[in-house]
Amino acid sequence: MIQRLLPLALFVGLAVLLFVGVRMNSGKDTSAIPSPLIGKPAPALALPVLPMPETRLAPADLGGKAYVLNVWGSWCVSCRIEHPVITELSGSGVLVVGYNYKDPAEDATAWLQKFGNPYALVIQDLDGQAALDWGIYGAPETFVIDAQGIVRYKHIGPLTREIIAADILPALKGAQ
Amino acid sequence: MLPELGQILLLAALLLSLLLGTLPLWGAQRSNNALMSSARPLSYALLAAVVCSYALLTYAFEVHDFSVAYVAKNSNSLLPPLYQASAVWGAHEGSLLLWVMILCAWITAVALKSRALPQTVVARVLSVMGWIAFGFLAFTVFTSNPFERLLPAAIEGHDLNPLLQDPGLIFHPPLLYLGYVGFSVAFAFAIAALIDGRIDAQWIKWARPWTNAAWGFLTLGIALGSFWAYYELGWGGWWFWDPVENASFMPWLVGAALIHSQAVTEKRGSFSSWTLLLAIAAFSLSLLGTFLVRSGVLTSVHAFASDPERGMFILAFLCLVVGSSLTLFAWRTPKEFGKPFHWQSRESLLLINNLLLTAACAMVLLGTLYPLLAEALDMGKISVGPPYFGKLFLVLMAPVVLLIPFGPLSRWQSDSLGNVARVLMPWLVLAALVALVALFKAPQHPIKTALAFFSVFWITLGTLRFVWQRLRQAQSRFTAEMSGMILAHTGVAVFCFGALMAEALSTEKDVAAKPGQSFEIGAYRFLFQGVQELPGPNFVAQRGAIQVFDGERMLTTLYPEKRQYASGGSIMTEADMQGGISRDLYVALGEPLDANGGWALRLHVKPFIRWIWFGALMMALGAFLVMFDKRFKNRRPQ
Amino acid sequence: MKRRLLAIALMLLMCTQVTHALEPVDYNSPAEEQRFKALTAELRCVMCQNQSIADSNAPIAHDLRAEVLRLMREGKSNDEIKRYLVERYTEFVLYEPPMHGGNWLLWAGPFLLLLGGGFWVARVIRNKSGAAKTAVVETDQEW
């Protein structure tokens, strides 16, 4: 009797898994890799600064402050799409640091001049070496780091107002 | 107007499939001849409706009707006419319509060639297939309408993905679908048998050729996909254990088990419930594959659509079809009526063979779904790749390779496997000796090389031993079934050799080449002559020229290209290769290195790689050959 | 939605084509070349997730290959290199899931199934054999 029901039982288990899978993955980017850095100290930002008129602080001043780190590049199409949202975020008083990834300085500067610079500080990673320590593998990516320098949240892909409201701002609140 | 007609035809088909699903089935339950005989006309009408609808979609492509959203997304006016026709199945909606059309073609084929079966069986089989058609038509009509309009109409379409503008890709989906959908025949037959509560050797005899046909087409479809990936994608790989590839491989493994199991049930009456279960499983895995490709549950380069709503629909359909058939199985599986057999017999060997194939399928399923399971159980994001699948597949298939020559030489019911082993022993020893020599002489990966030689010699010699035994006997006659078996099993040998040798002895080099520079791989010398620009129908190409020498003799000039397509500007690499029986020479262009014409090149020498697809071809032809055996000739019903 | 599709399409094209980094590497020795090729074939590209970093042409794969070579030349073992990458990109970066903790199901599963199936097969054969002892052995069988 058991062996007659066994195939059905196995299938039911499979169906449950698939159902959960579809629910879990709807609306989500299934290729995004969670960050192993969450809850761990952020790697040091010992990188050159991109000189821009809007720069308000230096990397050394970041200690003791919670901030958002946004990985971007002038070559990145989605970054252009999320740019207005970043500008809004920065305008609302949040400290946003730009991480310029694999971008020649002239291209980065031109891009910021053309679209506007929402970043309090832009650091440059030309060869992508330092990005490996952050687990960065593309752009745009966004981190939330708290006042003690611990990584609290990472988002892969362009930001939207909904994501900021639902994830970024709460992570920042917890980080103050 | 014409696209709307296409939609109306689909709705008509939906209605017809509903009628086909209900009327004959009801007629079979009530022994009502009129209702049962409606099955064939309904099948023909259904096919007509779907074929016309498909033709209208193709027409929309050929006349560049960009007011149809699907046409606008998947073609443009520069696309050559041949690719206009194949662009119809280039994305989700159209490929689904192709799926349905092929299903309707199989339904008609069954309707035409089932005169030898009792009317109740025919009615039930066609009804079950009608229900499947209904499900897919509903899915198409309600969630994936290929005739949806784009208003205002686009001036110009996007383009067909350049990867798909290739002859190999024209035939790959249709062949695959012929296979996937073909398993629905064995499935429908199994359901009909379960409803009836008994299984007749006569019916199994009828079902066997259909299963062989489906499996043969699936083999060809998978092999073509693999060959296409090899010559198109530019890095010389031929199988990646990608979730969608696995989705096609699982029905193939179970289908292979089903073919063997059906043979046993037909001749000895044994394994009847196992055969029914495998028939259900093969088609269920086809449906599962459809689900995996179109639901976005697994990341894959192949994935058509990542739409959770569609995913839910297919999942619901999957649950309905498979759930109800397995419930029917649990409730109505008939009593075993087979002739008894000893543990030393061909029955036992085939039972073990089926177990191993099923275990391999389960392994692939586990590995493919494991990342999903891990994520659901919050175990983090894990990936399962070729190292897992490759290792375990080798381990599970090795016993099958060992057993293959034993099967044909063993008798049914009772035999002395010791005697069979004694007959085969010289060949086993010979194969082992050859393998030993290979082990010591292989320049790299000695174990894989040794396994390659062992498997090809052992299977081929063992199968030839059967041929010799048969020739010596009084009858000295080879049925089509035997010939098909010999061809298919030898195909397995050829495949194993190709796969293992290509894995073991491939060599490749990434080089920075200046014009006039030479590079050596093994006995071959590659001379880089430079790159020039050339226009094509809808692209501009950078074309490199590399001469290949074997000693002093020039073998060929290879012309790898990098193409920039006019629409979208996407860049594609076309590797060039010289195929050969004993090796392939393969070259791909990388990037220009400097202003003096230097380029990065990838050079490969791949020994025996064509044996992979040739072996697969032999397996498919063997399966097709079996279909012509006299035992399957149509006879009047008893 | 359209932009997301565009981004996916671009990624698809990049990940299925040999576009940039067929970069020739200067190996110190054939042994280093073999070790490098074997090791990079076991690591999954995080961008083009269906390829190893040996095959992938995504920029991150290029960076990761350079990093692996650098760590190899620093004298790190294969395990240490893998651990380094896992710390930054999670276990996803390993093509072969490690045989620890919850992954036992993945590795043991097929064999457990085989074992269970084997017992069932043995039982079927035993039942059939019992009946076969008393059955008449056919001398003229069809093949």
Side-chain angles (χ1 to χ4, degrees):
Chain A
M1 189 55 195
I2 296 179
Q3 67 190 52
R4 287 167 164 234
L5 285 174
L6 191 59
L8 183 62
L10 287 173
F11 176 70
V12 169
L14 177 67
V16 167
L17 174 63
L18 294 177
F19 178 75
V20 169
V22 177
R23 290 289 288 266
M24 222 170 37
N25 287 333
S26 47
K28 205 168 69 142
D29 180 5
T30 50
S31 64
I33 301 177
S35 174
L37 287 180
I38 309 261
K40 297 214 180 72
L45 281 175
L47 289 166
V49 174
L50 185 73
M52 294 291 296
E54 298 85 353
T55 304
R56 284 188 275 134
L57 37 73
D61 303 328
L62 286 173
K65 295 192 184 67
Y67 62 97
V68 171
L69 186 75
N70 177 246
V71 180
W72 67 280
S74 63
W75 45 266
C76 159
V77 175
S78 308
C79 300
R80 208 175 305 175
I81 295 169
E82 76 167 356
H83 188 263
V85 175
I86 303 282
T87 310
E88 234 180 63
L89 180 66
S90 152
S92 71
V94 173
L95 182 56
V96 183
V97 176
Y99 187 110
N100 186 238
Y101 182 52
K102 293 192 151 215
D103 218 0
E106 319 82 65
D107 295 344
T109 314
W111 195 90
L112 288 175
Q113 279 166 350
K114 181 166 173 196
F115 297 107
N117 181 8
Y119 303 115
L121 165 69
V122 182
I123 51 173
Q124 266 195 294
D125 185 355
L126 190 55
D127 61 7
Q129 181 69 19
L132 295 181
D133 283 335
W134 282 84
I136 294 170
Y137 59 92
E141 294 183 10
T142 308
F143 295 82
V144 174
I145 294 111
D146 71 13
Q148 284 76 42
I150 310 283
V151 176
R152 288 308 196 95
Y153 177 77
K154 179 181 180 187
H155 178 79
I156 296 178
L159 288 180
T160 64
R161 289 194 185 87
E162 295 78 31
I163 297 172
I164 289 185
D167 300 315
I168 305 275
L169 290 178
L172 272 172
K173 257 196 220 47
Q176 302 292 9
Chain B
M1 214 267 298
L2 284 176
E4 275 66 38
L5 182 58
Q7 287 196 48
I8 293 173
L9 283 167
L10 282 181
L11 284 168
L14 187 65
L15 182 62
L16 285 167
S17 63
L18 182 62
L19 290 173
L20 179 59
T22 42
L23 296 180
L25 199 61
W26 186 244
Q29 287 301 104
R30 293 289 183 203
S31 301
N32 180 326
N33 278 339
L35 285 178
M36 285 196 280
S37 47
S38 69
R40 288 196 177 95
L42 282 172
S43 306
Y44 304 145
L46 177 62
L47 179 66
V50 174
V51 166
C52 290
S53 185
Y54 184 87
L56 285 171
L57 187 61
T58 307
Y59 181 72
F61 269 88
E62 296 288 350
V63 298
H64 309 304
D65 184 354
F66 296 127
S67 69
V68 178
Y70 185 70
V71 178
K73 254 193 283 170
N74 292 293
S75 73
N76 64 22
S77 28
L78 286 176
L79 195 61
L82 181 63
Y83 293 126
Q84 295 280 3
S86 68
V88 175
W89 59 78
H92 171 70
E93 292 86 344
S95 68
L96 205 54
L97 189 56
L98 180 69
W99 216 104
V100 173
M101 187 172 72
I102 290 178
L103 177 61
C104 295
W106 279 103
I107 294 176
T108 297
V110 169
L112 287 171
K113 303 228 27 143
S114 51
R115 300 285 164 192
L117 286 176
Q119 200 181 28
T120 44
V121 175
V122 175
R124 286 188 174 123
V125 168
L126 289 175
S127 274
V128 171
M129 293 180 84
W131 275 117
I132 299 170
F134 177 74
F136 274 89
L137 279 164
F139 183 52
T140 309
V141 165
F142 296 122
T143 74
S144 318
N145 186 356
F147 293 105
E148 222 167 84
R149 290 284 198 177
L150 180 67
L151 295 167
I155 311 282
E156 179 59 86
H158 290 167
D159 199 2
L160 179 63
N161 186 341
L163 276 177
L164 304 179
Q165 294 181 33
D166 180 278
L169 254 283
I170 297 183
F171 293 104
H172 168 63
L175 281 171
L176 271 182
Y177 293 172
L178 277 167
Y180 281 149
V181 178
F183 282 128
S184 67
V185 178
F187 172 79
F189 160 77
I191 299 296
L194 284 171
I195 293 176
D196 200 38
R198 64 191 178 96
I199 191 165
D200 199 307
Q202 172 72 2
W203 303 357
I204 291 266
K205 196 172 285 196
W206 176 86
R208 279 185 66 192
W210 298 93
T211 313
N212 276 37
W215 186 85
F217 282 122
L218 187 61
T219 309
L220 289 175
I222 296 176
L224 189 57
S226 163
F227 184 57
W228 173 84
Y230 169 70
Y231 75 73
E232 181 64 29
L233 294 183
W235 64 81
W238 58 275
W239 189 256
F240 309 96
W241 296 105
D242 174 84
V244 169
E245 290 174 355
N246 295 349
S248 71
F249 196 48
M250 288 188 278
W252 186 90
L253 287 166
V254 169
L258 178 61
I259 288 180
H260 291 87
S261 196
Q262 279 184 332
V264 178
T265 307
E266 188 223 322
K267 298 182 188 197
R268 310 296 297 173
S270 314
F271 303 176
S272 56
S273 42
W274 190 230
T275 301
L276 290 174
L277 190 58
L278 283 174
I280 295 175
F283 186 61
S284 306
L285 287 167
S286 300
L287 289 180
L288 179 67
T290 310
F291 169 76
L292 289 176
V293 179
R294 297 169 198 266
S295 66
V297 155
L298 295 169
T299 19
S300 162
V301 192
H302 275 92
F304 264 127
S306 327
D307 192 335
E309 183 198 291
R310 287 171 176 168
M312 277 305 190
F313 195 109
I314 307 182
L315 183 60
F317 184 60
L318 183 71
C319 288
L320 202 63
V321 171
V322 182
S324 54
S325 47
L326 287 178
T327 308
L328 193 62
F329 175 79
W331 178 31
R332 303 268 299 177
T333 194
K335 280 217 148 320
E336 275 283 312
F337 64 93
K339 300 184 175 140
F341 57 90
H342 281 290
W343 71 270
Q344 290 196 50
S345 63
R346 195 191 289 171
E347 284 95 330
S348 303
L349 290 176
L350 286 175
L351 199 54
I352 295 173
N353 166 70
N354 280 2
L355 176 66
L356 288 165
L357 284 170
T358 308
C361 176
M363 181 273 290
V364 174
L365 184 64
L366 183 62
T368 307
L369 292 180
Y370 192 74
L372 190 63
L373 183 66
E375 219 180 315
L377 296 178
D378 219 6
M379 279 162 41
K381 199 163 170 97
I382 303 196
S383 85
V384 180
Y388 171 83
F389 291 109
K391 279 198 189 92
L392 286 187
F393 190 71
L394 265 176
V395 168
L396 288 170
M397 285 294 109
V400 174
V401 165
L402 271 172
L403 285 181
I404 289 180
F406 282 86
L409 286 170
S410 314
R411 292 167 49 82
W412 294 113
Q413 186 183 36
S414 172
D415 198 350
S416 161
L417 290 181
N419 283 345
V420 181
R422 227 164 296 150
V423 162
L424 287 171
M425 190 56 73
W427 312 112
L428 184 65
V429 170
L430 182 57
L433 281 175
V434 172
L436 208 61
V437 170
L439 188 71
F440 288 112
K441 298 208 75 183
Q444 57 189 61
H445 290 122
I447 298 184
K448 274 204 180 117
T449 315
L451 285 174
F453 277 98
F454 176 76
S455 51
V456 72
F457 271 85
W458 167 233
I459 297 177
T460 311
L461 290 174
T463 307
L464 286 176
R465 180 63 180 79
F466 166 76
V467 173
W468 188 55
Q469 179 192 66
R470 193 72 196 171
L471 283 171
R472 273 172 61 216
Q473 278 173 351
Q475 302 113 306
S476 180
R477 184 178 55 93
F478 286 94
T479 61
E481 196 184 23
M482 287 176 196
S483 308
M485 179 274 294
I486 294 166
L487 185 57
H489 285 188
T490 315
V492 174
V494 168
F495 170 82
C496 287
F497 188 67
L500 288 166
M501 287 297 269
E503 295 271 308
L505 296 181
S506 270
T507 31
E508 68 179 45
K509 271 199 175 145
D510 288 331
V511 297
K514 296 199 238 319
Q517 207 177 352
S518 274
F519 305 92
E520 296 201 357
I521 298 186
Y524 300 102
R525 186 165 63 91
F526 294 80
L527 173 63
F528 178 52
Q529 294 182 306
V531 173
Q532 27 159 218
E533 200 172 276
L534 278 165
N538 51 343
F539 58 84
V540 172
Q542 300 286 334
R543 185 189 235 207
I546 292 106
Q547 284 185 324
V548 189
F549 295 86
D550 180 0
E552 284 311 311
R553 194 166 59 103
M554 185 178 98
L555 294 173
T556 182
T557 310
L558 297 174
Y559 299 103
E561 289 179 15
K562 284 179 84 82
R563 295 180 181 173
Q564 175 139 30
Y565 279 80
S567 66
S570 42
I571 300 189
M572 294 263 309
T573 307
E574 299 280 327
D576 197 13
M577 67 192 77
Q578 190 203 41
I581 298 179
S582 65
R583 88 290 175 279
D584 268 24
L585 302 167
Y586 188 100
V587 179
L589 282 181
E591 282 292 296
L593 292 175
D594 54 45
N596 297 332
W599 276 73
L601 296 176
R602 178 169 278 188
L603 312 165
H604 293 250
V605 177
K606 305 187 96 64
F608 299 105
I609 198 164
R610 306 236 153 186
W611 288 48
I612 293 173
W613 304 296
F614 193 64
L617 183 65
M618 287 170 77
M619 287 189 239
L621 288 176
F624 289 141
L625 190 52
V626 170
M627 289 164 66
F628 292 99
D629 195 281
K630 282 207 189 59
R631 68 195 306 122
F632 302 128
K633 286 277 176 287
N634 265 339
R635 286 183 224 108
R636 293 279 87 199
Q638 263 81 351
Chain C
M1 182 59 187
K2 223 189 247 182
R3 297 181 199 128
R4 181 153 172 264
L5 283 177
L6 177 64
I8 292 177
L10 285 174
M11 189 189 92
L12 235 66
L13 232 30
M14 173 172 72
C15 295
T16 51
Q17 283 299 291
V18 176
T19 46
H20 343 254
L22 270 191
E23 72 258 349
V25 179
D26 275 320
Y27 299 104
N28 290 345
S29 70
E32 183 184 71
E33 179 177 359
Q34 274 221 349
R35 182 180 165 209
F36 179 73
K37 285 194 171 154
L39 184 54
T40 50
E42 288 175 28
L43 296 166
R44 187 184 287 266
C45 171
V46 289
M47 175 67 100
C48 298
Q49 296 175 348
N50 286 289
Q51 294 174 261
S52 65
I53 61 175
D55 290 330
S56 168
N57 300 285
I60 186 70
H62 168 90
D63 292 345
L64 287 173
R65 280 197 295 267
E67 188 74 355
V68 167
L69 194 61
R70 183 182 73 84
L71 290 169
M72 267 173 60
R73 288 180 174 163
E74 269 180 24
K76 301 269 191 299
S77 73
N78 280 6
D79 278 336
E80 285 171 329
I81 296 176
K82 285 185 183 171
R83 213 172 325 132
Y84 179 90
L85 289 174
V86 168
E87 270 170 26
R88 285 154 179 75
Y89 292 98
T90 75
E91 275 181 359
F92 187 76
V93 84
L94 300 175
Y95 242 159
E96 196 170 0
M99 294 190 214
H100 73 67
N103 292 337
W104 69 266
L105 177 64
L106 184 64
W107 289 101
F111 297 106
L112 286 177
L113 206 109
L114 202 59
L115 212 62
F119 276 125
W120 180 77
V121 164
R123 207 175 56 139
V124 167
I125 293 180
R126 205 163 6 106
N127 286 346
K128 290 292 195 171
S129 288
K133 282 190 179 58
T134 52
V136 174
V137 176
E138 299 162 12
T139 45
D140 182 26
Q141 262 181 11
E142 72 169 323
W143 179 76

